[in-house]
């Protein structure tokens, strides 16, 4: 190891940004050389992406320039795409160069998991980045415009969302809010527009309190959403989806939110993974690699009952803080702190003024839950950028 250890952080999402912010606070001058690599020069707030995807908010409100978050005198930011991780050589290959490291933090986020459903990867949209949501938003508007040219094509006005997990439910809540505006803008009869949510599991929002799930479905049904719960998508084609026993739902817009996996670069690097996620040790390190930490959607951790924690922003943030602590401790030859997840609760939005949530041991629904969601969003902005970022990006209504 060189005299000043080199720390390389891959990915400026929740895990990577929190690690960077903590390191810049805790490290002393010249104690380590820290480099943050991300494919864009902005951090995107993934938990907000369902809004710009549906067009109920501008994509710029879901991103923050990385230079506004980190202190570039303390952390070198490299805008580039990681193409290979080589643990055996302690190197990371970028599209335009190579970085060597003493400590590596892998926080590249997840990818969509299509479970091998034929045609899904080729024909469906996913809500995963600023670029992907800009495409969805433009595509939805285009369908309304196309329908006006070919009024017999009602499939232009049918929107299928695969998966009734967090992302799918939050997106349909926003889309259902947007549809009346689009109908007005394009002079389209609202009754022609269909939003269909297809979920293979026996219930929407698995893991959520059943009473809250029922409330959520009722709110969304009233906004015009049709649920096909317990119905598997067998195939996705250019003309729609095949569900159940061969029924075709014709649609020019399929949005897949049915699964998340870790990043393929991790598997390609030779780490042992389950769906691209590394089962990390109690200090968040990859087994057999004392100098490699794996965070957020790339990591797999189990709760005391032996069930995997779902990949969330909340756990990625907490891991980032713990990881920074352990990096500083390693450099100073101090003992590491085991990671322990403190679940602060979960809130799912159902569109404007409506949400459901479980927090502080209580259930919330309706406007109260929507306020809670807003408070969580504002708290995150405060954590990463203080009051100036809250004032710049926070929405208060
Ligand atoms: C629509 C939606 C809503 C959600 N809502 C919630 C919610 O309400 N609450 C909650 O707790 N969780 C929510 N989640 C889950 C949460 O967003 C993720 O668990 C969280 O983002 C994981 O953080 P991360 O740091 O692992 O990765 P990410 O935040 O995904 O960050 C990964 C970063 O790595 C970069 N990157 C990827 N590949 C490369 C590469 N090859 N080279 C360079 N850079 C790369 C990406 O650009 C990105 O900046 C939601 C997810 C989605 C999609």
């Amino acid at each position: 190891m060189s005299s000043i250890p080199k720390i390389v952080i891959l990915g400026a999402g929740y895990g990577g940004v929190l690690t960077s912010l903590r390191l810049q606070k805790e490290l002393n001058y010249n104690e380590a050389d820290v480099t943050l690599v991300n494919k864009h020069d902005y951090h995107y707030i993934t938990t907000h992406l369902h809004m710009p995807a549906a067009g109920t908010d501008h994509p710029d409100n879901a991103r923050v320039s990385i230079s506004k978050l980190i202190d570039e005198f303390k952390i070198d930011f490299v805008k580039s795409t990681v193409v290979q991780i080589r643990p055996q050589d302690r190197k990371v290959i970028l599209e335009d160069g190579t970085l060597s490291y003493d400590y590596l933090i892998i926080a590249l986020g997840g990818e969509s998991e299509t479970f091998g459903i034929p045609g899904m990867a080729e024909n469906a949209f996913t809500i995963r980045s600023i670029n992907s949501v800009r495409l969805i938003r433009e595509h939805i508007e285009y369908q309304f415009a196309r329908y006006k040219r070919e009024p017999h094509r009602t499939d232009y006005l049918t929107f299928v969302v695969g998966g009734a997990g967090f992302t799918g439910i939050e997106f349909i809540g926003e889309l259902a809010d947007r549809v009346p505006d689009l109908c007005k803008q394009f002079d389209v009869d609202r009754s022609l527009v269909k939003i269909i949510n297809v979920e293979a599991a026996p219930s929407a929002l698995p893991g959520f309190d059943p009473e809250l799930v029922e409330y959520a479905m009722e709110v969304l049904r009233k906004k015009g959403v049709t649920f096909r719960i317990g119905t598997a998508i067998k195939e996705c084609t250019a003309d729609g989806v095949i569900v159940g026993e061969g029924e075709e739902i014709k649609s020019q817009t399929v949005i897949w939110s049915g699964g998340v996996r870790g990043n393929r670069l991790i598997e390609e690097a030779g780490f042992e993974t389950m769906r691209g996620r590394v089962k990390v040790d109690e200090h968040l390190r990859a087994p057999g690699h004392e100098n490699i930490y794996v965070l957020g959607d790339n990591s797999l951790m189990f709760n005391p009952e032996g069930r995997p924690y779902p990949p969330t922003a909340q756990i990625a943030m907490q891991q980032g803080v713990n990881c920074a602590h352990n990096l500083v401790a390693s450099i100073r030859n101090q003992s590491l702190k085991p990671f322990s997840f403190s679940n602060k609760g979960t809130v799912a939005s159902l569109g404007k003024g409506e949400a459901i949530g479980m927090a502080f041991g209580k259930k919330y629904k309706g406007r109260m839950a929507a306020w809670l969601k807003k408070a969580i969003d504002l708290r995150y902005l405060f954590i990463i950028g203080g009051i100036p970022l809250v004032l710049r990006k926070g929405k208060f209504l």
Side-chain angles (χ1 to χ4, degrees):
M1 201 181 280
S2 59
S3 53
I4 299 182
K6 283 189 198 147
I7 300 175
V8 172
I9 303 167
L10 306 182
Y14 290 81
V17 162
L18 263 289
T19 307
S20 306
L21 293 177
R22 280 299 169 126
L23 282 179
Q24 76 183 21
K25 203 166 156 202
E26 288 180 25
L27 283 171
N28 293 326
Y29 178 67
N30 258 351
E31 211 176 357
D33 223 344
V34 186
T35 303
L36 172 66
V37 184
N38 197 61
K39 65 162 89 151
H40 313 287
D41 56 7
Y42 53 82
H43 161 71
Y44 51 75
I45 301 162
T46 321
T47 59
H48 195 79
L49 288 179
H50 54 288
M51 295 175 80
T56 52
D57 197 6
H58 196 279
D60 283 351
N61 287 334
R63 65 173 173 174
V64 187
S65 168
I66 289 172
S67 64
K68 293 221 158 59
L69 295 179
I70 61 163
D71 179 345
E72 289 185 85
F73 287 103
K74 294 182 175 171
I75 295 188
D76 292 321
F77 172 62
V78 175
K79 176 180 175 289
S80 187
T81 299
V82 179
V83 293
Q84 196 187 13
I85 301 167
R86 299 177 63 134
Q88 66 282 16
D89 303 322
R90 296 194 171 209
K91 284 192 192 309
V92 174
I93 314 299
L94 308 179
E95 60 184 351
D96 48 6
T98 302
L99 289 172
S100 47
Y101 62 81
D102 297 306
Y103 295 97
L104 181 68
I105 294 84
I106 305 176
L108 292 167
E111 295 175 0
S112 177
E113 173 61 274
T114 60
F115 304 107
I117 300 172
M120 193 59 87
E122 296 77 13
N123 296 306
F125 295 92
T126 55
I127 303 173
R128 289 238 56 93
S129 64
I130 293 288
N131 290 336
S132 75
V133 301
R134 276 197 288 231
L135 192 62
I136 295 172
R137 171 195 163 119
E138 295 291 324
H139 174 87
I140 290 171
E141 287 183 17
Y142 182 48
Q143 300 319 297
F144 278 78
R146 285 172 97 188
Y147 170 75
K148 293 307 284 186
R149 295 278 308 265
E150 300 168 76
H152 62 287
R153 293 287 303 271
T154 48
D155 58 325
Y156 289 149
L157 301 180
T158 299
F159 300 93
V160 174
V161 178
F166 225 81
T167 307
I169 290 292
E170 291 201 316
F171 173 70
I172 54 178
E174 294 301 318
L175 183 58
D177 282 353
R178 178 92 200 285
V179 162
D181 290 342
L182 287 167
C183 288
K184 206 164 160 196
Q185 189 184 338
F186 288 90
D187 308 308
V188 167
D189 179 352
R190 169 68 184 87
S191 66
L192 295 172
V193 181
K194 294 195 180 85
I195 303 173
I196 305 172
N197 182 233
V198 187
E199 166 63 57
S203 136
L205 290 168
F208 239 82
D209 177 89
E211 184 199 321
L212 292 178
V213 174
E214 199 35 60
Y215 176 84
M217 289 176 73
E218 208 35 51
V219 167
L220 295 171
R221 276 193 201 104
K222 281 194 189 135
K223 291 189 188 193
V225 174
T226 304
F227 286 100
R228 301 287 304 269
I229 304 294
T231 305
I233 297 182
K234 297 283 166 56
E235 190 180 347
C236 180
T237 68
D239 298 320
V241 287
I242 312 292
V243 300
E245 300 307 312
E247 176 196 350
E248 182 179 25
I249 303 175
K250 283 197 172 291
S251 167
Q252 288 299 305
T253 314
V254 178
I255 288 144
W256 175 246
S257 70
V260 182
R261 68 183 326 281
N263 198 292
R264 277 165 222 279
L265 290 176
I266 300 176
E267 285 157 332
E268 289 163 18
F271 294 102
E272 199 180 310
T273 65
M274 282 168 72
R275 290 197 191 283
R277 300 172 72 196
V278 178
K279 190 176 162 204
V280 291
D281 69 13
E282 57 172 355
H283 300 119
L284 305 174
R285 295 173 303 183
H289 298 273
E290 289 206 338
N291 61 334
I292 301 183
Y293 292 77
V294 187
L295 309 183
D297 288 4
N298 295 160
S299 69
L300 183 62
M301 293 201 90
F302 294 84
N303 67 18
E305 290 82 48
R307 300 183 56 187
Y309 286 116
T312 62
Q314 192 184 166
I315 196 166
M317 289 167 68
Q318 291 181 25
Q319 288 178 328
V321 172
N322 188 274
C323 172
H325 175 94
N326 283 344
L327 285 164
V328 175
S330 281
I331 290 166
R332 294 178 187 163
N333 286 321
Q334 295 166 350
S335 51
L336 306 188
K337 194 163 87 182
F339 175 74
S340 129
F341 177 50
S342 158
N343 190 350
K344 309 270 189 263
T346 319
V347 185
S349 109
L350 308 169
K352 197 168 171 56
E354 277 287 0
I356 53 165
M358 292 182 289
F360 317 113
K362 278 183 162 177
K363 296 182 202 177
Y364 297 87
K365 58 187 178 193
R367 195 157 288 279
M368 186 64 202
W371 282 337
L372 202 55
K373 178 89 183 169
K374 192 76 32 207
I376 294 168
D377 290 350
L378 295 178
R379 177 177 175 269
Y380 180 62
L381 293 177
F382 179 74
I383 289 172
I384 62 168
I387 296 217
L389 188 62
V390 174
L391 294 176
R392 225 160 14 93
K393 297 278 175 184
K395 288 177 72 192
F396 299 93
L397 294 175

